[in-house]
Amino acid sequence: MATATQTAAPTLIGSVQRALRLLEAVASHAEGAPAKQLARETGLPLPTTYHLLRTLTHEGYLVRDKGVFVLGDAAVRLAGGGAVQNRRIKIEDSLAHWRDEIGVPIYFALYREGEIELVAVADTPSAPAVEEWADFRETAHAHAIGQCLLSQLDLKSRQDHLDRHPVEAITPYTVRNQRLFLERLGSLGRMEPVVERQEYALGTVCAAIPITAGSAVATMAISLPLHQEERLLPAVERLRTEIGRLFSSLAFSISI
């Protein structure tokens, strides 16, 4: 008799196991495979194979094409989701490494579908990230992340963003109007870091590095308390060097 301290055997659903075996078998054939071949490879009875294949096809995990079965959109979305998750983990691990090496909060953001998207932040209790007290998406003109991303857009896309999210001062140091803001963006060098001082949050200085990879518009940024401002430029230069090494090793993807 089993005791209370013994671990109970897991309850396994046989039909789910068989369906997964079939999906794996189909995925191993780039050009697809017929039902009889899949039955042989999985060791399943042919009637069971037909039943599971019909179910998986109905749910969109498989597609039957000219007598063979291939992966359907639902299965592709599952695989794609896993790849996205892996890339996000890689980004987060990289940010955490740089946070520890440089000793500053590290931010990674994208400009996607007309909006600022803060993808990941790595900070510590002793070096906390800037609190998002005003929506990052609506205040791109005020923070280094947004300024850096907008500086990489063409003039039409930049103007479209500002039409939807007008320039307005949120601290005494924020740029006062759109004309001045556009002049500032126009004066930036192509890959020049963007620096802002207390424009988004009082007592904070920030710097952002433009990242260009294909059509993606991205940035990495750091922040520091105002009294540590002398650390800002050395830290952002070090981050830029580290980013260059990572991209050259092909170990990083910003496509998420």
Side-chain angles (χ1 to χ4, degrees):
M1 175 180 286
T3 66
T5 59
Q6 289 179 311
T7 303
T11 300
L12 303 179
I13 308 300
S15 58
V16 174
Q17 291 178 306
R18 291 187 286 273
L20 292 173
R21 283 159 57 191
L22 269 177
L23 284 174
E24 290 173 349
V26 172
S28 69
H29 297 280
E31 304 300 323
K36 290 183 178 179
Q37 181 179 351
L38 294 170
R40 288 196 304 271
E41 292 179 358
T42 57
L44 296 175
L46 189 57
T48 300
T49 300
Y50 276 123
H51 175 70
L52 290 172
L53 289 173
R54 282 195 299 270
T55 302
L56 290 168
T57 300
H58 175 76
E59 296 297 327
Y61 290 95
L62 295 177
V63 172
R64 187 175 185 181
D65 181 27
K66 298 178 182 179
V68 301
F69 291 88
V70 296
L71 293 179
D73 289 343
V76 173
R77 285 195 299 271
L78 281 179
V84 168
Q85 182 65 19
N86 287 338
R87 289 196 293 270
R88 186 178 292 271
I89 290 171
K90 186 174 293 185
I91 288 171
E92 292 172 348
D93 288 346
S94 298
L95 265 59
H97 169 74
W98 293 328
R99 173 203 65 202
D100 296 340
E101 287 292 312
I102 305 173
V104 295
I106 309 287
Y107 310 75
F108 176 64
L110 297 169
Y111 193 83
R112 181 154 48 192
E113 297 180 356
E115 298 294 349
I116 304 292
E117 182 179 336
L118 185 59
V119 176
V121 180
D123 65 350
T124 64
S126 60
V130 177
E131 181 181 355
E132 188 178 351
W133 70 274
D135 193 327
F136 265 33
R137 294 170 300 177
E138 298 177 3
T139 58
H141 63 281
H143 49 75
I145 287 173
Q147 292 173 22
C148 188
L149 292 172
L150 293 182
S151 74
Q152 298 176 66
L153 302 181
D154 58 52
L155 294 177
K156 182 178 179 181
S157 300
R158 191 181 297 171
Q159 187 62 58
D160 173 72
H161 183 94
L162 296 177
D163 288 343
R164 290 180 288 111
H165 303 299
V167 173
E168 59 179 359
I170 61 173
T171 80
Y173 302 93
T174 310
V175 65
R176 315 306 291 182
N177 56 60
Q178 183 177 126
R179 179 182 62 80
L180 291 174
F181 179 64
L182 290 174
E183 288 178 358
R184 177 192 291 184
L185 294 187
S187 68
L188 292 171
R190 181 175 173 272
M191 297 304 291
E192 181 182 349
V194 177
V195 176
E196 62 92 353
R197 296 172 173 85
Q198 303 193 86
E199 296 178 47
Y200 177 79
L202 294 176
T204 301
V205 293
C206 302
I209 303 166
I211 297 176
T212 302
S215 61
V217 176
T219 183
M220 286 191 187
I222 65 173
S223 64
L224 282 166
L226 180 61
H227 69 272
Q228 297 181 23
E229 183 176 2
E230 73 281 356
R231 295 180 56 205
L232 187 68
L233 293 181
V236 79
E237 284 303 318
R238 186 173 176 189
L239 177 62
R240 183 155 62 170
T241 299
E242 294 291 336
I243 291 171
R245 288 173 180 165
L246 193 64
F247 272 109
S248 65
S249 72
L250 302 179
F252 189 77
S253 171
I254 65 174
S255 176
I256 67 173

